[in-house]
Amino acid sequence: MEKMPELESIIDEIRRVRNKYNISSSQLAKKSGISLSAMSKLEHKRLRPTYELLCKVYNTLYDMVLETGKAEKVSDIMVKDVETVTIMTPISEASKKMKEKGFSQLPLLNRDGELKGMVTERSLLDHPDAKVCGDAIDYNYTIVEPDTSKERALQLAKNTQAVIVMKDGKIVGIATKADFI
């Protein structure tokens, strides 16, 4: 079977989280609607799952974790006082704020306070001629709700600069990779 690193990472995460919360393979298989044999093959990487099957097992697992009542939430680790910039903020001002505060990204809002993207160290390097933050937008971020489990948010954070925590359309927090360490 050809190896797919992202797939293996998700399968490893399923096993790690299942073990952490003492959820048995048979419990997860039953709730996911798959056979115990298929679950065992999945966890031992002897089954090439469809995307739909993997999502079903993954989402079922996180629902089971939430049911335990033991799951830490992203709201437990997020930074609540979120520094932001607007699309019209000069790059020099955003850069100065990032350097002074030690941030590698800042959420980017429009005039109405709606999230439009991020300004990141990389987006600034990729757009050296940008004058305002709206000219250096990075769309690589994830939005979650405050009650999202820490484990789920961590999985999402592995592929993005930051996880933006929103409630009722407003930013209430941000969690970067450093917040999960």
Side-chain angles (χ1 to χ4, degrees):
M1 177 176 8
E2 187 176 323
K3 302 229 182 216
M4 295 182 65
E6 300 84 15
L7 190 65
E8 289 191 11
S9 172
I10 293 169
I11 293 169
D12 291 341
E13 179 75 2
I14 288 170
R15 181 184 295 154
R16 186 190 68 75
V17 171
R18 187 181 61 70
N19 288 331
K20 178 178 179 180
Y21 290 96
N22 296 316
I23 297 170
S24 71
S25 290
S26 60
Q27 290 171 314
L28 181 55
K30 185 176 181 179
K31 280 242 183 176
S32 298
I34 65 172
S35 70
L36 181 56
S37 173
M39 179 61 68
S40 178
K41 288 177 183 174
L42 174 69
E43 285 194 345
H44 290 94
K45 302 173 187 166
R46 292 191 310 256
L47 172 73
R48 180 182 242 160
T50 63
Y51 178 76
E52 290 80 17
L53 174 66
L54 199 56
C55 286
K56 185 177 188 178
V57 171
Y58 186 84
N59 290 330
T60 299
L61 174 61
Y62 281 101
D63 289 342
M64 292 174 77
V65 167
L66 291 176
E67 288 171 10
T68 68
K70 299 175 189 172
E72 281 186 90
K73 296 182 171 113
V74 72
S75 59
D76 297 331
I77 62 157
M78 70 184 189
V79 173
K80 294 174 180 75
D81 186 22
V82 182
E83 296 279 340
T84 62
V85 290
T86 69
I87 56 175
M88 297 308 295
T89 302
I91 291 291
S92 59
E93 186 179 319
S95 179
K96 180 180 177 187
K97 186 184 279 193
M98 289 168 74
K99 286 178 188 173
E100 287 177 355
K101 306 254 179 172
F103 298 149
S104 57
Q105 68 276 316
L106 294 167
L108 179 67
L109 310 177
N110 67 11
R111 289 181 216 149
D112 298 325
E114 298 167 333
L115 181 65
K116 289 300 170 191
M118 300 281 280
V119 174
T120 66
E121 292 169 334
R122 181 172 190 102
S123 70
L124 293 176
L125 293 172
D126 288 345
H127 300 90
D129 298 328
K131 302 288 183 229
V132 294
C133 291
D135 296 333
I137 300 176
D138 185 333
Y139 298 101
N140 188 22
Y141 61 93
T142 301
I143 297 173
V144 298
E145 303 237 341
D147 62 347
T148 301
S149 72
K150 178 183 170 184
E151 283 82 9
R152 182 171 272 177
L154 172 60
Q155 188 65 30
L156 295 169
K158 290 178 180 178
N159 298 313
T160 63
Q161 285 282 325
V163 176
I164 305 295
V165 185
M166 296 186 76
K167 185 172 183 175
D168 301 324
K170 299 289 181 202
I171 297 175
V172 295
I174 187 170
T176 65
K177 290 174 182 141
D179 295 314
F180 293 97
I181 297 173

